[in-house]
Amino acid sequence: MNAITSASAIRTVHVPLGERAYDILIGPGLIARAGAEIASRLKGRKAAVITDENVAPLYLKALVASLDEAGIASAEVVLPAGEKTKSFEHLITVCDQVLEARVERNDYVIALGGGVIGDLSGFAAGIVRRGVRFVQVPTSLLSQVDSSVGGKTGINSRHGKNLIGVFHQPDLVLADTDVLNSLSAREFRAGYAEVAKYGLIDKPDFFAWLEANWKAVFTGGSARIEAIAASCQAKADVVVADERENGPRALLNLGHTFGHALEAATAYDSSRLVHGEGVSIGMVLAHEFSARMNLASPDDARRVERHLKEVGLPTRISDIPGDLPPAEKLMDAIAQDKKVKGGKLTFILTRGIGQSFVADDVPASEVISFLQEKHA
């Protein structure tokens, strides 16, 4: 890892997807510069800004002022905060408001918020007028390093998380690192789980760097920007190689099959479990299950758990407050996962730190036995 020379530097990660190529800008002060950055790169002059009740009081005024200064007229849509907003009901609201604002194909839907707002807004942008331009202004660490990059959008169903959606790449991502200072410790830790994920997938040196430098990442400054840029570059590389998740992009779901099942088991109650916490537990479970299947050393699972626990993340099913349904119900959620193919279970497993792989046709009997053991 190379340290950057100035905390005020803006890092750019380019996502080379041909005519759908775009840049991810990372650094402080980008919301104040959003209008200028958008106007200099894109053609439209109208925008619908989608945000939520938590983010709006903090950053909506500054973003709209920036758009006004750049000559971009904007309408504002403020939604309830929380995972339950990723619903048909709120999707219809957003689509109606975007159309009412007369946003055309060369204009923009701008997502100002975390992963929920980004996923919902991106889905709306992908289907209104069969696709309008989309700008991500992610305001959580999790959305800056993961959900804002790659074009996966969607809403939840009673059958599971993110089961309804489209691939719709953003035209620009503005990751303002100043906004991360307003996150709660819990929110920041949850986002950090996705940062650690990139090291565990195929970058063992990055995971080792995080083990040594995580406190500096939490504090802010150059280490934080470096970690975000490295994460965005890692995701961009995978997206370019497999944009629609037909192969290696599935590796980005390390920990997510277990994690999504746990989120569904809590009915997406953020007071009990948020996405990054589910991913944290899921990554530990994926490494433990890999060891159970004699694919990896138990020492690797212990190392993963030790680091995630050190930063304050939950690592065990028993860390989730309140009662959970039995292991059999967790299996029902896993069976609905998007990575199931032909009814066969697909998991992201590992042969060690930074050696993840896609495992097709994982025996359901082994998974249920493992979950029963871990759920006890």
Side-chain angles (χ1 to χ4, degrees):
M1 299 290 298
N2 297 318
I4 60 179
T5 57
S6 171
S8 64
I10 301 296
R11 295 286 297 271
T12 300
V13 173
H14 183 63
V15 186
L17 285 170
E19 63 181 14
R20 296 182 313 288
Y22 57 94
D23 286 335
I24 307 162
L25 274 58
I26 304 155
L30 283 170
I31 287 180
R33 293 173 47 182
E37 293 291 349
I38 293 169
S40 69
R41 295 162 184 266
L42 306 174
K43 294 180 180 179
R45 284 297 175 264
K46 282 186 288 189
V49 181
I50 319 301
T51 189
D52 68 31
E53 294 169 345
N54 290 346
V55 174
L58 299 174
Y59 305 115
L60 181 57
K61 183 178 179 180
L63 177 60
V64 169
S66 175
L67 296 173
D68 287 345
E69 188 174 345
I72 300 172
S74 61
E76 304 161 16
V77 182
V78 181
L79 300 172
E83 188 71 30
K84 293 181 180 180
T85 296
K86 285 172 59 172
S87 67
F88 274 116
E89 175 189 357
H90 291 105
L91 175 67
I92 292 169
T93 297
V94 171
C95 290
D96 281 346
Q97 291 296 311
V98 171
L99 290 169
E100 188 171 318
R102 299 185 181 274
V103 169
E104 300 175 358
R105 283 186 173 180
N106 281 328
D107 295 325
Y108 333 106
V109 168
I110 301 176
L112 174 67
V116 168
I117 290 298
D119 285 357
L120 175 65
S121 303
F123 190 8
I127 59 178
V128 168
R129 303 193 193 281
R130 297 188 177 92
V132 301
R133 292 186 178 276
F134 180 43
V135 177
Q136 288 265 25
V137 186
T139 59
S140 68
L141 178 59
L142 190 150
S143 58
Q144 289 190 2
V145 302
D146 185 56
S147 59
S148 67
V149 181
K152 287 171 70 173
T153 74
I155 59 175
N156 300 331
S157 159
R158 65 184 179 86
H159 296 290
K161 185 168 179 173
N162 297 333
L163 292 178
I164 303 163
V166 296
F167 285 93
H168 187 62
Q169 295 291 346
D171 293 272
L172 180 65
V173 179
L174 302 173
D176 189 332
T177 53
D178 281 343
V179 305
L180 302 181
N181 295 327
S182 65
L183 297 182
S184 68
R186 184 188 182 196
E187 287 177 294
F188 193 89
R189 286 194 300 266
Y192 181 85
E194 295 281 2
V195 175
K197 178 190 73 176
Y198 292 109
L200 294 174
I201 290 171
D202 63 357
K203 291 177 171 50
D205 290 346
F206 182 44
F207 186 73
W209 183 86
L210 290 171
E211 288 177 304
N213 294 279
W214 70 269
K215 290 181 181 178
V217 173
F218 275 59
T219 300
S222 62
R224 178 179 292 178
I225 296 173
E226 182 70 13
I228 294 170
S231 299
C232 288
Q233 185 65 66
K235 182 157 189 181
D237 290 344
V238 175
V239 168
V240 170
D242 178 21
E243 184 179 359
R244 291 183 173 263
E245 200 172 81
N246 294 314
R249 183 168 178 172
L251 294 173
L252 294 171
N253 292 300
L254 175 65
H256 286 59
T257 300
F258 288 120
H260 284 169
L262 293 171
E263 286 183 87
T266 62
Y268 306 109
D269 182 350
S270 60
S271 68
R272 298 177 63 193
L273 188 74
V274 295
H275 176 68
E277 293 169 339
V279 170
S280 175
I281 298 170
M283 289 191 299
V284 173
L285 290 173
H287 281 79
E288 290 181 335
F289 186 68
S290 297
R292 179 190 179 98
M293 300 295 288
N294 296 316
L295 296 167
S297 168
D299 291 341
D300 292 315
R302 285 191 283 268
R303 179 181 167 190
V304 173
E305 180 174 19
R306 182 167 59 248
H307 178 59
L308 296 175
K309 184 178 289 186
E310 185 179 20
V311 306
L313 281 162
T315 59
R316 296 279 167 183
I317 293 176
S318 59
D319 292 338
I320 302 171
D323 294 330
L324 289 172
E328 291 76 12
K329 287 292 185 181
L330 296 178
M331 276 297 295
D332 288 343
I334 288 172
Q336 281 282 7
D337 191 271
K338 300 180 297 301
K339 293 173 289 300
V340 173
K341 295 180 181 180
K344 296 180 179 179
L345 297 181
T346 298
F347 280 82
I348 311 306
L349 300 181
T350 180
R351 296 184 178 90
I353 303 293
Q355 300 181 60
S356 297
F357 67 99
V358 180
D360 294 315
D361 200 13
V362 174
S365 59
E366 291 286 351
V367 178
I368 188 66
S369 175
F370 173 74
L371 284 173
Q372 288 168 340
E373 174 187 317
K374 295 300 175 181
H375 198 348

